Amino acid sequence: LDARREPARRKIEATFDRWLDYARHETLSNIEHGRIKAPIQASGGAADILFDLPRWRSGFSLSMRDSIGEVMQDAGDGELDEIGFVDPFSMPNPEARAFLDDREEKLSGIPDEVAEEIRQSIQDGMDEGESIGDLAKRLQATCSDISLARGLTIAATETGAAYGFARSEEHTTELQSRQ
């Protein structure tokens, strides 16, 4: 089972990392293209150069929902294969949508937390008078730390939840169909 979960975990982790890369790239572009308002202290500081949070929040939510849904489907298909059950006329489980809604809600705070970590890191660099090059390095290091800490945790948690739900639902479906 763990060997089957690893590609699923990597899929969810890659989804998180793809959106983290988007945030890093857009913020880095803002830094490099002089979108820092001068003087920094008189403006919104790091918030002035942060990535587009509403866009990130929406894209992250949709992408994670898709990835978790694919993992659920793979887990359910694997479970049915294990028990030798074939149902060519199966309909989508209505509980799956509720499960995905629940997972989306649980992940809804992640974009704001990531944005705050990046904003605070950049603000610290600005407060220390770092050059644009140093801010870019700081941003890269912060995103790497976020990926290692948050990406792995989210991927492991969501993979486990998707597999747990799918396995439970597939057993229930199979048992009901045999009665």
Side-chain angles (χ1 to χ4, degrees), residues 29-168:
S29 178
N30 290 342
I31 290 170
E32 291 176 342
H33 292 99
R35 293 189 182 104
I36 300 174
K37 295 178 184 165
I40 292 170
Q41 288 73 19
S43 70
D48 288 339
I49 59 172
L50 205 57
F51 58 93
D52 182 348
L53 181 57
R55 181 175 176 200
W56 199 91
R57 189 182 293 123
S58 174
F60 173 79
S61 178
L62 291 171
S63 295
M64 289 300 285
R65 185 180 182 100
D66 287 348
S67 292
I68 293 167
E70 290 172 18
V71 168
M72 269 179 31
Q73 183 66 48
D74 293 347
D77 291 347
E79 181 66 15
L80 290 176
D81 289 346
E82 266 184 34
I83 60 177
F85 183 76
V86 177
D87 184 2
F89 302 107
S90 65
M91 297 296 290
N93 183 334
E95 296 299 316
R97 183 179 181 116
F99 173 81
L100 288 171
D101 289 345
D102 180 62
R103 300 318 299 173
E104 187 174 3
E105 177 63 30
K106 287 182 180 357
L107 294 170
S108 66
I110 299 295
D112 293 306
E113 293 167 10
V114 167
E116 179 55 24
E117 285 183 58
I118 291 172
R119 188 206 62 76
Q120 186 60 56
S121 176
I122 292 170
Q123 188 63 56
D124 291 348
M126 291 172 145
D127 292 345
E128 293 172 19
E130 291 181 359
S131 68
I132 289 175
D134 288 340
L135 286 174
K137 289 176 189 172
R138 177 185 286 268
L139 175 62
Q140 180 62 45
T142 300
C143 288
S144 292
D145 291 347
I146 292 169
S147 177
L148 287 173
R150 303 299 293 278
L152 290 171
T153 301
I154 290 168
T157 302
E158 296 308 312
T159 300
Y163 264 80
F165 174 83
R167 290 182 65 85
S168 172

